[in-house]
Amino acid sequence: MMRVFKDSGKTIKSLLKERILILDGAMGTMIQRHILSEEDFRGERFKNHDHSLKGNNDLLSITRPDIIKDIHAAYYAAGADIAETNTFSSTVIAQADYHLEDAVYDLNFQSAKIAREVADEFTHKNPDKPRFVAGSIGPTNRTASISPDVNDPGFRAITFEELRAAYFQQVDALLDGGVDMLLVETVFDTLNAKAALFAIDDVFEKRGEEVPVMVSGTITDASGRTLTGQTTEAFLYSLEHFPMLSIGLNCALGAKQLRPYLKILSGKAPFAVSAHPNAGLPNAFGQYDQTADEMAEEVEDFLKNNFLNILGGCCGTTPEHISAIAKVAAKYAPRQYEAQQVLNHA
């Protein structure tokens, strides 16, 4: 089937040549500012659900859409060009923990719809700064490459096909809800990411349309590798066959710790490069202490060295962090890259 590329996707590709695009910050950090009860998560629809739902943040798109809408608005007001949908855990795999597999379509559709409405409101107010929505696709809580049983290294808790089917359902619903692009993020297992990209391509084929796709991995420790053992280079080479809008890194580390791995991506990726680091490293209580100004100072090093095309924040970041980052990014030109360049793997 002939595929049509959405107009918003063409606009995004054009803007990436002109300036650094700003991604929003943490959804969970902002939700935690609210004192929410079990009833907030249940709402009317899930009032009689048999299992506890508190902590299922994605569910708030259905039961407390006012909170999610306000968070998107706060990030757009802070200068974000792109907001991520509240769908990090909106797959049948992740929602099985809450026995809410049947709600997955609505979780994705409603989350995309809320973000779309807010984005359109801001674009209408300022057409010279169009706002976009990225469908957030998390890694799930299962890994296709590692056994969860130390006594059985060959065991896998999930199959590639189960992942592909779950991602297919999520992607289809996100597109129904009106997202401009898809963000496969916080990748700790590249095989999971491959299942997501396989599903995305299947959905594009089914619908006869496509949108830009971003992929962002996570370096889990000082070894500079993903949880499943890949270096940054290996991560890139494992996925470069897919025509991505961007490849990048997010979560686990603060900007300072992420620098050497972004440098590698910047020097080798034939796509745009993105980063949305945490607000530093967590303290002994799991809280993030890095201020907006401190984070802006650290990411400015990326910008001076021309590492990036897309910049935002992950755990611990707020609209204050995004505002400070956006002001710094406005002073720098985006990284230039050749989409058709042949990589030297030597």
Side-chain angles (χ1 to χ4, degrees), residues 45-46 49 56 58-59 62 90-92 95 99-110 169 173:
R45 176 171 171 178
F46 304 103
H49 192 67
N56 187 359
D58 294 17
L59 198 55
I62 295 174
S90 293
T91 57
V92 290
Q95 287 300 315
H99 300 264
L100 282 178
E101 295 94 329
D102 290 345
V104 162
Y105 179 88
D106 287 346
L107 286 175
N108 287 285
F109 179 82
Q110 293 300 332
Q169 181 184 19

Side-chain angles (χ1 to χ4, degrees), residues 93 140-146 148 155-164 166 189 192:
I93 297 165
T140 82
N141 49 2
R142 303 288 181 92
T143 168
S145 297
I146 300 177
F155 175 73
R156 295 294 181 269
I158 195 78
T159 67
F160 185 90
E161 175 54 27
E162 286 170 333
L163 284 163
R164 186 208 64 81
D189 182 348
N192 285 38

Side-chain angles (χ1 to χ4, degrees), residues 6 28 44 69 89 99 102 106-107 116 119 157 193 197 234 269 278 305-306 320 339:
K6 285 183 68 173
E44 190 60 31
K69 184 172 184 176
S89 299
H99 300 264
D102 290 345
D106 287 346
L107 286 175
R116 173 82 275 144
L197 295 175
N278 292 346
N305 287 281
N306 210 230
E320 291 77 19

Side-chain angles (χ1 to χ4, degrees), residues 133-137 170-171 174-175 179-184 200 204 211-215:
V133 176
S136 173
I137 300 170
Q170 180 176 30
V171 170
L174 287 169
L175 291 173
V179 301
D180 298 297
M181 64 188 88
L182 298 165
L183 171 55
V184 181
I200 287 168
F204 287 170
V211 299
V213 177
M214 301 170 63
V215 176

Side-chain angles (χ1 to χ4, degrees), residues 34-318:
H34 298 265
I35 307 301
L36 299 176
S37 66
E38 177 75 20
E39 287 65 38
D40 287 302
F41 288 90
R42 286 179 174 272
E44 190 60 31
R45 176 171 171 178
F46 304 103
K47 183 169 63 176
N48 299 316
H49 192 67
D50 293 338
H51 301 270
S52 174
L53 299 177
K54 190 173 182 181
N56 187 359
N57 288 345
D58 294 17
L59 198 55
L60 297 173
S61 294
I62 295 174
T63 60
R64 288 297 305 271
D66 55 312
I67 290 175
I68 306 306
K69 184 172 184 176
D70 287 347
I71 292 171
H72 288 318
Y75 279 123
Y76 282 133
D81 298 291
I82 306 165
E84 300 171 59
T85 55
N86 181 37
T87 54
F88 186 82
S89 299
S90 293
T91 57
V92 290
I93 297 165
Q95 287 300 315
D97 287 353
Y98 298 96
H99 300 264
L100 282 178
E101 295 94 329
D102 290 345
V104 162
Y105 179 88
D106 287 346
L107 286 175
N108 287 285
F109 179 82
Q110 293 300 332
S111 293
K113 184 170 176 285
I114 292 167
R116 173 82 275 144
E117 289 170 356
V118 183
D120 291 346
E121 287 173 13
F122 274 81
T123 299
H124 180 72
K125 291 175 189 173
N126 185 3
D128 292 334
K129 185 177 171 64
R131 310 304 173 100
F132 304 99
V133 176
S136 173
I137 300 170
T140 82
N141 49 2
R142 303 288 181 92
T143 168
S145 297
I146 300 177
S147 172
D149 184 353
V150 294
N151 296 312
D152 186 0
F155 175 73
R156 295 294 181 269
I158 195 78
T159 67
F160 185 90
E161 175 54 27
E162 286 170 333
L163 284 163
R164 186 208 64 81
Y167 283 129
F168 186 100
Q169 181 184 19
Q170 180 176 30
V171 170
D172 210 26
L174 287 169
L175 291 173
D176 282 351
V179 301
D180 298 297
M181 64 188 88
L182 298 165
L183 171 55
V184 181
E185 64 170 310
T186 322
V187 175
F188 62 80
D189 182 348
T190 305
L191 192 55
N192 285 38
K194 284 177 176 285
L197 295 175
F198 195 109
I200 287 168
D201 195 59
D202 280 352
V203 174
F204 287 170
E205 189 67 22
K206 168 202 159 189
R207 299 174 71 100
E209 66 173 359
E210 58 183 89
V211 299
V213 177
M214 301 170 63
V215 176
S216 184
T218 185
I219 301 297
T220 52
D221 57 38
S223 73
R225 295 172 181 267
T226 64
L227 183 66
T228 49
Q230 280 193 315
T231 63
T232 305
E233 274 186 278
F235 173 65
L236 169 64
Y237 297 155
S238 294
L239 298 173
E240 66 178 4
H241 63 282
F242 193 90
M244 293 178 274
L245 176 75
S246 67
I247 191 163
L249 298 170
N250 75 288
C251 205
L253 303 175
K256 191 174 182 179
Q257 296 79 21
L258 212 55
R259 187 190 192 281
Y261 315 117
L262 286 174
K263 183 179 180 181
I264 291 170
L265 279 183
S266 177
K268 297 181 178 292
F271 317 106
V273 170
S274 72
H276 50 297
N278 292 346
L281 296 176
N283 60 28
F285 301 100
Q287 303 298 313
Y288 293 86
D289 301 322
Q290 189 173 68
T291 68
D293 289 341
E294 288 169 346
M295 186 173 183
E297 184 178 345
E298 287 192 0
V299 299
E300 188 166 13
D301 176 56
F302 303 163
L303 306 171
K304 285 178 180 176
N305 287 281
N306 210 230
F307 288 169
L308 295 178
N309 304 96
I310 301 169
L311 175 63
C314 203
C315 302
T317 58
T318 66

